[in-house]
Amino acid sequence: MKINPADAPRPLADEGAIEEAAHILREGGLVAFPTETVYGLGADATSDAAVARIFAAKGRPSFNPLIAHVEGLAAAQELGVFSEEAGRLAEAFWPGPLTLVLPLAPGASVSALARAGLDSVALRAPAHPVARALIAAVGRPLAAPSANRSGRVSPVSAAHVAQDLARRVDFILDGGPSPIGVESTIVSCLDGGPRLLRPGGIATEAIEAALGLSLAEAAPGKIVAPGALASHYAPRAKLRLDAIDLDAYEAGLDFGGRFRIGPMIRDLSPGGDLQEAAANLFAFLRELDALGASRIAVAPIPHHGLGEAINDRLARAAAPRPKQT
Ligand code: TXA
Ligand code: MG
């Protein structure tokens, strides 16, 4: 297999780079690629051996299933069984930052390892042109979690991927910064109707509007999306949420210009725009972490729209965590 050391991502993913990446994927290699939410760590979703390399590179527990990325509805229908509601959601939001968890279709080619042995499958058709071109060039579904070491902050640039996974990935496609900045919204459409498993890049309100009903929240305490548990998306620094003011030694993650201005302060959106805040979230967490502060104070962020996903990620980043190596 051709190993292309990935420490120095290319300036922009052109056709040649996409063809090279597709070749590596067809041979069972790992390619990090941009999506509009975050960068994914991709492998051929039909190959157990290729998918096993994702779990190894990330240090991810193998009971946590992966999303299979497809070109669109037609490809998805070969892998998952669409209920009427699932079809309506795909119609409304694909390609885009929505993942649907569906019953596995008979004869579906997604590897059992990618599904963590479940008889359901998570499917997403990303909108990013580089992701779409890559999936088309490979001609197979791509299993891809976020391209970070397990439990860490998700990458929203090729440089972030290189920081976390250099030498563990065969190739990094650089598509510039991910415009949405938080992971896809995950909706389960198994028995019993649609349920929200993870808030994300599409506001829950928009999904409810498309369905014409209110989404039943996943039953608390039940492991439905294993990655949606406990400590996740964690920087090295501790986080203090809903901070009204800063302690002297704290770095600050501001929203709407509440804190003083300073070298240890980043404002997610001085004008209070939640979309801008989501796009800045992971990059600013990384920047503040790199300054070496032991604690980051985070200003209150409204809970509506993309604020739901932002608050979800911040709560996980602040959760007590196992010792990281
Ligand atoms: O925006 C995104 O969704 C990014 C980009 C790369 O597509 N991907 C991403 O993947 O965030 P990951 O692996 O970090 O999160 C996928 C989530 C996990 O929490 C996993 O447990 C859940 O999807 N999941 C996957 N298959 C599932 C299934 N069959 N049932 C329930 N949850 C599932
Ligand atoms: Mg992740």
Side-chain angles (χ1 to χ4, degrees), residues 32 38 94 106 138 145 151 160 212 229 254 265 269 307:
V38 301
W94 278 1
V138 177
H160 293 162
L229 275 183
D254 202 356
I265 314 291
S269 173

Side-chain angles (χ1 to χ4, degrees), residues 6-325:
D7 333 47
R10 298 175 175 224
L12 262 196
D14 56 13
E15 243 173 70
I18 288 169
E19 211 20 79
E20 194 172 346
H23 177 74
I24 291 170
L25 287 166
R26 282 192 296 262
E27 301 278 300
L30 294 186
V31 171
F33 63 94
T35 84
E36 70 277 22
T37 57
V38 301
Y39 275 65
L41 178 61
D44 176 355
T46 68
S47 160
D48 274 331
V51 169
R53 295 193 58 208
I54 294 180
F55 287 100
K58 275 188 66 98
R60 175 170 171 131
S62 59
F63 54 77
N64 193 358
L66 305 174
I67 299 170
H69 296 70
V70 294
E71 269 193 275
L73 187 55
Q77 280 168 331
E78 292 178 15
L79 306 177
V81 179
F82 280 73
S83 62
E84 198 267 323
E85 284 140 332
R88 212 179 315 159
L89 290 175
E91 192 74 30
F93 299 111
W94 278 1
L98 173 71
T99 296
L100 295 171
V101 174
L102 305 175
L104 190 68
S109 58
V110 176
S111 100
L113 189 55
R115 295 180 276 109
L118 299 171
D119 54 9
S120 58
V121 63
L123 299 172
R124 173 173 175 225
H128 196 292
V130 174
R132 289 174 64 77
L134 182 66
I135 296 165
V138 177
R140 296 174 203 158
L142 295 183
S146 50
N148 51 279
R149 297 276 291 160
S150 191
R152 291 288 182 198
V153 177
S154 295
V156 291
S157 74
H160 293 162
V161 178
Q163 279 166 23
D164 258 24
L165 292 176
R167 283 180 296 279
R168 290 171 174 266
V169 52
D170 301 318
F171 200 90
I172 300 176
L173 281 172
D174 190 343
S178 292
I180 292 179
V182 289
E183 296 84 350
S184 60
T185 302
I186 305 182
V187 177
S188 158
C189 295
L190 303 175
D191 293 345
R195 288 196 306 171
L196 178 68
L197 299 192
R198 178 178 75 183
I202 293 177
T204 307
E205 296 93 317
I207 290 179
E208 291 180 332
L211 288 172
L213 52 81
S214 148
L215 276 181
E217 291 253 357
K222 201 171 162 207
I223 302 183
V224 275
L229 275 183
S231 168
H232 213 77
Y233 313 103
R236 285 187 175 75
K238 290 203 162 61
L239 259 64
R240 183 168 69 88
L241 303 183
D242 292 318
I244 310 298
D245 215 337
L246 286 182
D247 291 342
Y249 62 90
E250 283 180 324
L253 186 64
D254 202 356
F255 179 82
R258 178 184 286 269
F259 300 154
R260 63 172 189 271
I261 291 171
M264 303 265 280
I265 314 291
R266 298 287 182 282
D267 196 330
L268 289 169
S269 173
D273 179 81
L274 288 166
Q275 228 159 298
E276 181 185 25
N280 286 329
L281 178 66
F282 290 141
F284 285 4
L285 277 175
R286 279 175 188 262
E287 278 180 39
L288 291 174
D289 217 18
L291 296 175
S294 60
R295 202 160 81 183
I296 301 171
V298 184
I301 291 159
H303 287 262
H304 62 266
L306 286 196
E308 188 185 1
I310 296 171
N311 279 295
D312 172 83
R313 303 307 186 268
L314 286 170
R316 293 179 204 300
R321 54 191 86 146
K323 264 220 164 90
Q324 301 272 354
T325 50

